[in-house]
Every structure is written in structure tokens, then in C-alpha cells.
Amino acid sequence: MDNITHSIIGFGVGEVVHRSLPMEADAPAQRVRHRLLLVACALASNFPDLDLFLTKLLPDPLGYLLNHRGHTHTVAWAVPQTLLLAALLWLCWPSARALLRASRPARLGLALSIGLGFALHLLMDYTNSYGLHPWYPLDARWLYGDMVFIVEPLFWAAIAAPMALIMRWRGVRIAGLALLVAALVAFAAFGYLGWPSLVALLVVGAACGWAQMRSGPQGRGGLLLALGISVGFIALQGVASQVGRAQITADLQRIDPASRVLDVAMTAFPSQPLCWSYASVESNPAADRYRLRRGVASIAPDWLAPSACPAGLVEKKPAQVLGAGVLQNGSADASLSQLRALKASSCEADAWLRFGRMPELAKDALSDYRFASTPRGNFSTLHLAPAPCPTGVPSWGYPRADLL
């Protein structure tokens, strides 16, 4: 997920933890604990992304592809990271240190806030199609949730609305709500969010805000409703993703029975469970070929045609109809034997193949077809040229071991 969403979720969970604990002995201690738990949970919800400082350990683009969502996004490394963050808060925050010495609820709240923050970061990153490998070194495989768009405004609307209403100063409350509405409207205006979805998000935000106001000054009603809606939305997206994948797989198998569909990467549209972008890979060993496709699908084309999905995430080029709800915007095919030979002969290609889920093999380049239509170009492209073997390559599993 993007770091704004990670932060909003962290603040919301930290607030719930604070309001679920017994109150401190006096108002100053209560205020310190409030700030401590919100800051701790928000920092923990972003802390694993400090792996961006490791991206220079390998040449571009391998540094980013192999080190982002790398070791810091594993359960094994979560423990030392939690201890490091707790130590930093202890050393750098004197009033919090004094509170933690004196208050058992504060110590429990800090442990919960940091632990939940780290867990939520890994869980939320898992929900999109980029992937991570949380069980390394026990299991080096990449895991992909393929459920939620990397910038999902539903979490903003559900959690930020009650959080804004909790603010002590009226001006801050108004500014927070205005900023939230402006962000949602901008998302719709740029074509990333359908206008019906915008209305639904405003209703969700209003409902969570109303529930928080009804729960009283120390209540959690709106925040718990927001978290419940968020969990329900992720579950709905998971079901919709599976339905869409099955629909796309069936269409691809019908079009080319000689090939086997190995994988369909599903990328959600923001707050729209019916619309999905996809990238697929099919293998035909008898012909020594594999094929990649990308396009847009609707899991309910009678209600919403794929061509009617939010325009900001649909390629501006002619589309081929593959099925009632499936459009193809592009395709590429390559030789299986050439891909395998490249892996065996090029250390750089071998390292890149530890990331590439949809390996497009073009002249002198490897690219992940998932990112072929990103506005700023395909950031995953590796230009192949004679070069020394890179050192320090993480031993992640090959996402396309079934091709290699």
C-alpha cells in the first residue's frame, strides 16, 4: 500500500488501542499515552518501507525490485524491527519514557500498537498484486493477494472521517474533513474512481463519522465500524478477484486450448469490485512458446461493461474482445528455450527472474508485463548487456519457476 494509507490505518488502530485501555491516573499522562500510541502504531505501519534505503545495494532496477518488500517485509525481521522502534521511542521521548516506567496499561498499549502496526503493514502489502515473501527464509516464494488497489480510498473515507472528528480543535476537524472530501473528489476527477463509487465512499465516511460522534468522547464506535467495513471490503475484493480470475482463465483456455494458463495477476480498481486489470501468462511447451496478455475485465458485464470502468486506469488503445466481460489491450509472446537459456547465461537476468511474475522477453531487455502500461514507463525493465554478476542478490524464489 501507499504510505498515506499505511499511516491512516496505523493512526486508526492506535486510537482504538488507546481507547480500549484503562485511563491513566491523570490527564497529562493520558495525553502522553494518546500521542505515544498513535505515533507508535503509525510509525510501525510504515517502518518496513525503510528497505528503500537498501535499493542502492544492487544496480538499477534490481536494487528496487529485489530489496523493496524484501527482508524488512518478513515475519522473521519484524521482531528486531519492533524492538528497534520501541528502543527509539524510549530513548527519544522523555515524557513517554517516564509514563512507560509507571504505567502497565501504557506498556501494554505500546506493545500492541507496535505489534499491530507491523502486522498490518505486511497484511496490507499482501493484498495487492506486487507481492511479498513473509515467511522467508522458511519459504522463499512470493505471495500475491491480488485483492486491493495499491492506493485504496475506502480506507481513507472509513478511518479518516472518525479520526478527523476526534480532533480537539474545531478548525482541525473541519480542515481534516475538507481535505478528505477534496482528495476523494480529485481521485474521481482524474478518472481513477467512478462517480458512483465516490458517492458510496462519502456515505461510508458519513456513517463512520456519525457512529463515532454517537459513541461519546471516549467511544470507539465509529473506528470499530470503519475497521469492520475495511475488513469486509477486503473480503469482498478477495471473492471478486477469484471470480474474475476464473472468468479470464476460462476465456483464455477457450481461445487457445493448446496452451495452459499458468497465472493471472489481478489488479483492482479503486473502490470498484466489478472492475479489474489483469496480466496473464500461458505456456505451450510443445511449440516452445509462452504468451503474455494484459487487459481489463468486469466480473458483471451486464451491469458494468469493462469499457465503462474508470477511464484513468484503462489503456487508451483499441481493445480486443476475449469474452463477455474481458478485453485485451496488449499481448506478447516469446520462446521458452530462449528464456531458459538467458537465465542460465546471464547473472543479471537470473537475479531479475527472482522478481518477474510476468517476464516479457524482448530484444536486449526483460520487463514485467504487469507494469507495461504504467504512466511513467515500465520501472521493472532490465536492459541486458555484458556486466559483472551482481553480488548480494536475495535468494527469493522464482515467481515463474513453472516457465524456467
Side-chain angles (χ1 to χ4, degrees):
M1 304 299 293
D2 69 290
N3 292 103
I4 292 176
T5 305
H6 278 310
S7 299
I8 289 173
I9 293 172
F11 281 127
V13 171
E15 186 72 43
V16 169
V17 171
H18 171 69
R19 289 170 178 253
S20 301
L21 295 170
M23 295 186 68
E24 298 296 332
D26 53 54
Q30 183 77 354
R31 287 195 294 271
V32 170
R33 191 184 81 186
H34 186 203
R35 291 193 293 268
L36 173 64
L37 300 194
L38 263 66
V39 169
C41 199
L43 287 176
S45 293
N46 287 280
F47 211 79
D49 281 341
L50 291 176
D51 61 10
L52 291 170
F53 289 104
L54 304 177
T55 58
K56 297 302 179 184
L57 295 178
L58 288 167
D60 291 335
L62 296 177
Y64 182 86
L65 301 181
L66 296 176
N67 283 320
H68 181 47
R69 297 206 185 181
H71 292 94
T72 61
H73 287 66
T74 63
V75 173
W77 275 69
V79 174
Q81 287 182 95
T82 59
L83 296 176
L84 174 60
L85 178 55
L88 291 172
L89 291 169
W90 175 273
L91 293 172
C92 301
W93 199 333
S95 59
R97 185 164 63 244
L99 174 66
L100 292 169
R101 285 196 180 107
S103 170
R104 185 175 180 276
R107 293 193 294 272
L108 175 61
L110 181 63
L112 287 172
S113 296
I114 292 179
L116 288 171
F118 275 99
L120 286 167
H121 187 105
L122 299 189
L123 286 170
M124 297 310 298
D125 276 359
Y126 164 73
T127 61
N128 56 59
S129 61
Y130 192 95
L132 72 167
H133 20 68
W135 307 116
Y136 182 85
L138 299 178
D139 186 346
R141 290 178 300 168
W142 286 83
L143 302 180
Y144 309 97
D146 288 3
M147 292 183 283
V148 177
F149 191 62
I150 196 166
V151 182
E152 177 46 66
L154 177 123
F155 304 125
W156 307 353
I159 299 173
M163 284 297 294
L165 293 170
I166 287 169
M167 297 294 103
R168 184 185 307 177
W169 297 283
R170 183 171 180 269
V172 175
R173 292 197 298 269
I174 294 173
L177 292 174
L179 181 61
L180 171 62
V181 172
L184 295 177
V185 171
F187 230 60
F190 284 108
Y192 300 119
L193 183 68
W195 293 105
S197 297
L198 171 63
V199 173
L201 292 180
L202 293 175
V203 170
V204 166
C208 294
W210 178 83
Q212 186 60 39
M213 293 177 65
R214 291 275 297 177
S215 66
Q218 299 302 318
R220 305 169 298 170
L223 292 167
L224 292 176
L225 176 62
L227 295 176
I229 289 173
S230 298
V231 171
F233 174 75
I234 293 172
L236 173 64
Q237 291 287 106
V239 172
S241 176
Q242 292 300 320
V243 171
R245 179 180 286 109
Q247 177 181 324
I248 294 164
T249 300
D251 283 336
L252 296 182
Q253 208 67 69
R254 174 179 52 79
I255 292 168
D256 185 4
S259 295
R260 183 166 69 95
V261 179
L262 300 179
D263 191 13
V264 180
M266 303 291 286
T267 299
F269 277 60
S271 303
Q272 177 48 278
L274 301 183
C275 289
W276 296 83
S277 296
Y278 71 89
S280 64
V281 56
E282 307 156 64
S283 174
N284 187 341
D288 187 35
R289 307 299 294 176
Y290 73 96
R291 180 186 295 111
L292 303 164
R293 305 179 196 257
R294 69 176 186 272
V296 177
S298 168
I299 65 170
D302 292 338
W303 294 352
L304 182 68
S307 57
C309 290
L313 295 173
V314 177
E315 290 189 59
K316 309 298 188 294
K317 59 187 302 185
Q320 177 184 350
V321 177
L322 301 185
V326 182
L327 300 180
Q328 176 181 299
N329 294 114
S331 67
D333 71 294
S335 164
L336 282 169
S337 58
Q338 286 183 8
L339 182 67
R340 293 164 183 169
L342 181 62
K343 176 186 181 299
S345 63
S346 169
C347 298
E348 280 195 310
D350 180 80
W352 186 94
L353 286 166
R354 294 183 184 274
F355 169 82
R357 185 180 180 185
M358 301 287 165
E360 180 187 8
L361 177 57
K363 183 180 179 181
D364 300 326
L366 272 171
S367 300
D368 195 310
Y369 211 53
R370 286 177 292 173
F371 313 112
S373 61
T374 51
R376 297 182 180 179
N378 195 329
F379 65 88
S380 71
T381 299
L382 172 69
H383 297 284
L384 300 168
C389 289
T391 59
V393 174
S395 53
W396 316 136
Y398 298 98
R400 288 275 66 86
D402 46 12
L403 287 181
L404 302 175

